[in-house]
Every structure is written in C-alpha cells, then in structure tokens.
Amino acid sequence: MIVVLDRDIARADIDRLTEDLGAAGLSAKLSGNGDPWMLVAAEQVPGRVRQWVRELPGVSRVVDVPGKFRLSSRDFQPESSTVTLDNGLTIGGTGFVVAAGPCAVESAELLSATADSVRAAGAEVLRGGAYKPRTSPYSFQGLGPAGADLLDQERKRSGLPVVTEVVDPGDVELLADRADMLQVGTRNMQNFALLSEVGRSGKPVLLKRGFAATIEEWLFAAEYVLSTGNTQVVLCERGIRSYDPSTRFTLDVSAVPVVKALSHLPVIIDPSHSSGRRDLVKPLALAAAAVGADGLLVDVHPESAAALCDGDQALSPEEFTDLMASLRRVLAAVDRTLARPCEPLRAREA
Ligand code: PEP
Ligand code: MN
C-alpha cells in the first residue's frame, strides 16, 4: 500500500498519520520529497484497512500495490516512466538512446575525439568514468576531480550530456555539478548510503545491476533511490556472474522483459562490460534493440590498445559507426527509432 498525502500537509500531520498507521500494525516509510510525500507500507494491507486509511485526514489517495515492490512497481504506476536529461533528451518511451565513450576519462584530447566520433555516429550521451571502481588496487583508479572537470568541459564543448559513475557518497555533490546523470556501478548496487545520496541529489540516476544480484534485489536498490523522491531512475543490465569463462559476465537479456513486466522504469543494456569482448558488443547491442531495451551503454576508445581501462571491450569509432548502422535497421524492424537529436547543452545555457 502506498499512501499519497495531500500536497499542503503539515509535518505534524504526517507524524500523526504515521503513528496512526503504526498503532494499526503498519510500518510505513516516509518517501518522496514533498511533491508529494508518501507513506509506503512494508506489509500487504487488507482492503478494509486501506478503506480506513483512505478516510484519514491528510490522505490524498491510497494505491494498492500487491507485489513485493512499491514505488518501482507497475501496480503503482502502470505507464512506463521516462527520464529527461537537462538538454531535453528522454530515456524510456519511443526513442532508443545510445550512450557511448571511453571506460575512463584519460585526457581532454581523448574525450573530445571520442565525443565527436560517437556523436557523428548517432550517440546522444557521452559516457566516461572519472572515478573507477577497480577490482585491483594497482589498476588505474581514474583521474578523480580532474576527470570530473574534463567531463564538465567536454559536455559544454560538445553539447553532449554526460553520464559518469559515482563510487563514494561524498563525491555526489561534485559530480552532480559536472555531469547530467550519475551512474551507480555494479559493485555498488547495494551501497545503500550511496543510493540515498544520489537520490537526494535529484539528478537522473543510471543504476547498474549487481553482477550477483537477483532482479528482486536490483529493484529494491531502485526503491532506495525512488524513496528519496527522485523518480529519474534508469536501470542498466550489465551481465551477471556465471560459470562460463568465455565471456567476462553473462548478459541476461531476459532481464529486460522480466523487469518491464514488473516495473515502469526504463532499462538499458551494457554489452561492453557484460561480454568484456569487442567482437561480442555488436551482436549483443542488436539483441538489446530486439528485446525491447530503451538504450545502450557502449565503451568506445579511439586507441583501445593503449586504453587505461577495459581496452579489450572498447569499439573503435569505425566499429561503433558500423554498429549504429545495423542498430538502425534492427530498430526499424521492431517499429522503433533512435531517440531524436536534442538541442546541445551549451545552446540552452546561452
Ligand atoms: C562502467 O560502466 O564503467 C563500469 C565500471 O561498469 P560496471 O559497474 O557495470 O562494471
Ligand atoms: Mn569499464
């Protein structure tokens, strides 16, 4: 049960309602950001209790949500949600959005060259990590704040919105000022402090599936962000750990229709981190379009042999251009198209 409260409700009235629900044996979590506030009950609530709650002062409406999920559930919101970046680009809905770029921000020159090539091929978002969560402490850890500044410069120069990973709740503010979308990576999917902090930033969030996480755990992670009142959440399937070492991870394409049946949130696919192999990126990207995903996150690097991170899975600009040409044909076959080009960020800032 989700209790949507009146928009002008006073804090004391929210406390009173919470106490009333508590006295009736319901533990309700205050969610949202006042626009509106919501009380989300953990338990399933019998119809007669819902009717009683509906009549309490300060309650605007009560939504019965029969499954496990609450704010991410299609029972709460039957229509698919869309996430809109600052330049007006919409993720979810009709258009298919491609985010592409280097795994890590390495230099201004590399970032600009990659941005220009992926944009020319039809990408609408630039990806790149300033903070890299690396398995080995001896691997390149990213340029940190200097990398974040390069992303900010590049989005202003190229006009492409930027998605970048945040690994520490303390860096959310810095990255929220320098990027258009904050990525929570596979290794942090259950970092609940981080999920709440990116939620509170109000920025669009790209939430990757933990490589050992069930779909249920992934959606509950999304609920942490949604509970803060931030509805701008996009899910990203990036492969799960299986027994076969032929690929780095196993892309779970079935996750897309499974999640879409349960949840209204957009879902994109990362064929690069799932396979870890350049030769598999194109076929998996085409599968994403056919299976109903809302977009892609793809590693592209102009000199993959010299890449500081994940060079084995990076496409060259030429390979990415070829992928985009095939992608357009697969999208057309399923009556879809790439998202329409958006106004550059810098034009909106002027
Ligand atoms: C990435 O996208 O750069 C990344 C580290 O991905 P993942 O969290 O899926 O490994
Ligand atoms: Mn990577």
Side-chain angles (χ1 to χ4, degrees), residues 176-327:
D177 284 344
R178 290 164 178 77
D180 302 279
M181 187 175 211
L182 300 179
Q183 176 175 322
V184 175
T186 192
R187 293 161 185 82
N188 271 311
M189 189 208 80
Q190 285 187 317
N191 181 336
F192 302 117
L194 182 63
L195 294 171
S196 298
E197 199 59 32
V198 293
R200 281 193 288 268
S201 76
K203 288 298 247 193
V205 176
L206 182 62
L207 177 59
K208 288 193 146 193
R209 179 180 181 181
F211 58 72
T214 61
I215 286 173
E216 183 176 317
E217 289 161 341
W218 189 19
L219 286 175
F220 277 129
E223 297 264 340
Y224 271 88
V225 181
L226 296 168
S227 295
T228 65
N230 185 341
T231 57
Q232 301 284 287
V233 179
V234 176
L235 300 169
C236 178
E237 161 60 42
R238 51 77 69 210
I240 50 177
R241 173 77 33 97
S242 80
Y243 51 83
D244 194 327
S246 312
T247 51
R248 196 173 173 193
F249 295 90
T250 296
L251 181 67
D252 180 8
V253 280
S254 59
V256 176
V258 170
V259 168
K260 282 186 167 282
L262 292 168
S263 172
H264 53 82
L265 296 174
V267 190
I268 69 168
I269 275 185
D270 179 344
S272 308
H273 289 84
S274 51
S275 66
R277 282 174 46 175
R278 182 175 307 116
D279 61 322
L280 298 182
V281 171
K282 179 176 170 183
L284 296 178
L286 301 184
V291 82
D294 296 294
L296 286 171
L297 184 69
V298 183
D299 279 9
V300 175
H301 196 295
E303 278 176 75
S304 60
L308 297 180
C309 184
D310 286 349
D312 290 348
Q313 69 198 32
L315 298 184
S316 66
E318 296 71 31
E319 288 165 330
F320 180 68
T321 303
D322 168 67
L323 181 160
M324 293 297 283
S326 300
L327 185 64

Side-chain angles (χ1 to χ4, degrees), residues 2-197:
I2 299 177
V3 185
V4 183
L5 304 180
D6 288 343
R7 280 178 198 271
D8 57 358
I9 192 168
R11 192 63 202 218
D13 291 329
I14 298 179
D15 294 343
R16 180 188 43 75
L17 264 170
T18 310
E19 274 170 32
D20 287 353
L21 295 177
L26 301 173
S27 44
K29 175 176 165 57
L30 183 63
S31 300
N33 54 7
D35 189 24
W37 290 113
M38 290 172 282
L39 290 168
V40 180
E43 304 83 1
Q44 292 302 334
V45 179
R48 62 187 159 72
V49 178
R50 283 202 302 278
Q51 188 51 39
W52 165 73
V53 175
R54 217 167 254 130
E55 282 157 19
L56 294 173
V59 171
S60 161
R61 68 195 168 97
V62 172
V63 189
D64 179 28
V65 189
K68 290 185 170 171
F69 309 110
R70 296 285 180 269
L71 301 169
S72 66
S73 160
R74 276 212 191 263
D75 294 312
F76 177 55
Q77 184 187 307
E79 64 283 2
S80 296
S81 45
T82 54
V83 170
T84 305
L85 305 190
D86 275 348
N87 71 337
L89 180 73
T90 297
I91 307 175
T94 50
F96 188 91
V97 174
V98 179
C103 176
V105 177
E106 298 179 19
S107 68
E109 296 70 31
L110 173 109
L111 204 55
S112 295
T114 316
D116 287 344
S117 65
V118 300
R119 186 181 46 186
E124 285 287 341
V125 180
L126 177 66
R127 65 142 290 147
Y131 294 84
K132 297 304 303 176
R134 304 305 300 278
T135 302
S136 163
Y138 311 114
S139 301
F140 175 59
Q141 303 287 312
L143 298 179
D149 285 342
L150 292 180
L151 285 168
D152 191 24
Q153 281 164 30
E154 186 50 35
R155 67 181 178 150
K156 288 174 180 150
R157 188 200 69 85
S158 69
L160 282 178
V162 156
V163 58
T164 197
E165 179 163 356
V166 53
V167 298
D168 186 317
D171 295 327
V172 168
E173 200 180 326
L174 179 133
L175 288 173
D177 284 344
R178 290 164 178 77
D180 302 279
M181 187 175 211
L182 300 179
Q183 176 175 322
V184 175
T186 192
R187 293 161 185 82
N188 271 311
M189 189 208 80
Q190 285 187 317
N191 181 336
F192 302 117
L194 182 63
L195 294 171
S196 298
E197 199 59 32

